Amino acid sequence: MKILIADDSRVMRQIVIRTLRQAGHGGHDIVEAENGRQALEMVQTEAPDLVLSDWNMPEMNGIDCLSALRASGSTVAFGFVTSEGSEEMRERAASAGAAFLIAKPFTPEAFDDALRSVI
């Protein structure tokens, strides 16, 4: 499985990768994007099976990236890993087509629970 991790923070991308390993999902191919626009392009060029995206990023945020993917006909599994976990954010994510939203700070167990629905 190929997983695209989109976050403007390199450190946070590394934390997500480490948490995936800790959750027992370390054997996947990982590709990284620094913002939503790059993630949108990489879904076309890299064909990931799953996108894990931050919500707030420069150039294009995560929800706009997800909306653009769905508008283009993409059905790639998409989940948010973000500091904003309010009920309103969860509803916006779900209505846009996200499979899950994991709020920071997160645990390996939260990743495993969320990923079981898409892996």
Side-chain angles (χ1 to χ4, degrees):
M1 171 175 259
K2 185 183 283 189
I3 301 173
L4 170 61
I5 299 171
D7 197 302
D8 55 313
S9 166
R10 184 184 61 79
V11 170
M12 186 51 65
R13 291 193 308 268
Q14 293 304 309
I15 291 169
V16 169
I17 291 167
R18 184 183 71 222
T19 306
L20 282 169
R21 266 196 311 266
Q22 292 170 341
H25 300 281
H28 304 295
D29 292 332
I30 304 291
V31 290
E32 300 178 40
E34 296 179 3
N35 58 58
R37 187 166 315 286
Q38 188 179 26
L40 183 61
E41 294 167 3
M42 290 180 75
V43 167
Q44 306 305 319
T45 60
E46 296 288 335
D49 302 293
L50 170 65
V51 177
L52 295 176
S53 178
D54 189 15
W55 191 291
N56 295 307
M57 296 179 286
E59 293 191 45
M60 178 184 274
N61 64 32
I63 195 75
D64 289 346
C65 176
L66 174 56
S67 296
L69 284 168
R70 294 301 183 248
S72 74
S74 173
T75 58
V76 65
F78 195 106
F80 286 100
V81 180
T82 184
S83 56
E84 312 211 17
S86 70
E87 195 55 41
E88 178 190 346
M89 299 283 275
R90 291 178 187 280
E91 288 172 11
R92 282 186 66 197
S95 67
F100 56 83
L101 186 150
I102 300 171
K104 300 173 190 171
F106 45 75
T107 63
E109 293 78 20
F111 267 72
D112 189 44
D113 289 345
L115 292 176
R116 263 193 255 133
S117 67
V118 295
I119 292 184

